[in-house]
Amino acid sequence: MNHFELFDITPVYALDLADLQLRYRKLQQAMHPDRFANASERDKLLAVQRTSQLNDAYHTLRDPLLRAEYIVSLRGVDMQHEQKTLQDPEFLMAQMAWRERVEELNVGDFAAIDEAFADLERETKLLQNTLEQQIEANANEEAADTIRKLKFMQKLGRELEALEDE
């Protein structure tokens, strides 16, 4: 049973997260291992396994990037084990520009860091919109490339946060 089937929802990128959370809570209550305290050891183990699967499914579906990766994997694109790199020269140039920008930021220059965060957020939203369109159109290989781009943007965001924390 895949994650969408577990929650009895259509496998789409644009999920109603409030509905997902409601379904999660209902399933969590029904599957919680405490409800099986007086059951056999086998049933207790199954309850723990189902709860683990439920938590993993919820974690995956509530995160837009993990959800997208999961959708394209259901469609036959193996994102976990592939070593494919992006062949988009324009994005590779943008990566280099971002790297230079982050390296040039000074610790304590909060205005420049905030500006970088704002630019990163704007570009990330554009990529997320593109990703949603690609998934809806079943353009799975293109979606996989966009996921790779978003992973880079996510990593940059973590680097900016670390710089801000310093």
Side-chain angles (χ1 to χ4, degrees):
M1 174 180 298
N2 74 44
H3 296 343
F4 292 100
E5 291 168 344
L6 179 62
F7 287 102
D8 192 29
I9 54 179
T10 306
V12 294
Y13 180 71
L15 283 183
D16 178 347
L17 294 179
D19 180 56
L20 177 66
Q21 185 178 34
L22 180 66
R23 291 171 187 262
Y24 170 70
R25 287 187 177 155
K26 285 182 181 177
L27 286 169
Q28 191 179 42
Q29 288 174 348
M31 294 180 174
H32 198 277
D34 289 349
R35 295 181 60 97
F36 298 87
N38 296 323
S40 70
E41 289 303 315
R42 180 181 175 275
D43 288 342
K44 287 179 188 178
L45 180 60
L46 284 173
V48 169
Q49 289 173 338
R50 283 187 298 237
T51 300
S52 176
Q53 179 188 16
L54 177 67
N55 291 335
D56 181 51
Y58 179 68
H59 173 75
T60 299
L61 294 183
R62 77 170 191 217
D63 181 284
L65 193 53
L66 293 176
R67 182 181 335 121
E69 194 168 351
Y70 186 72
I71 289 170
V72 297
S73 73
L74 288 176
R75 295 176 179 175
V77 178
D78 184 7
M79 295 289 299
Q80 297 294 330
H81 297 88
E82 94 180 50
Q83 299 298 320
K84 183 177 179 183
T85 59
L86 282 170
Q87 301 300 317
D88 181 345
E90 186 178 316
F91 187 73
L92 294 174
M93 292 299 291
Q95 279 182 310
M96 288 173 34
W98 268 108
R99 285 271 160 240
E100 289 174 12
R101 184 176 180 183
V102 170
E103 287 174 11
E104 292 172 1
L105 288 172
N106 295 317
V107 173
D109 187 353
F110 295 114
I113 294 171
D114 287 346
E115 184 179 330
F117 266 124
D119 291 346
L120 183 67
E121 185 176 315
R122 185 178 60 257
E123 289 185 34
T124 298
K125 284 182 181 182
L126 289 172
L127 284 171
Q128 287 171 332
N129 290 338
T130 299
L131 178 60
E132 183 172 359
Q133 293 168 3
Q134 291 167 332
I135 289 175
E136 287 177 10
N138 284 322
N140 301 317
E141 292 299 329
E142 292 86 351
D145 282 342
T146 303
I147 290 168
R148 290 180 195 95
K149 292 174 183 179
L150 282 165
K151 284 183 175 185
F152 171 77
M153 303 304 268
Q154 193 176 58
K155 183 178 178 186
L156 266 179
R158 286 191 300 268
E159 290 175 18
L160 286 172
E161 287 172 0
L163 189 61
E164 189 175 51
D165 288 346
E166 286 180 24

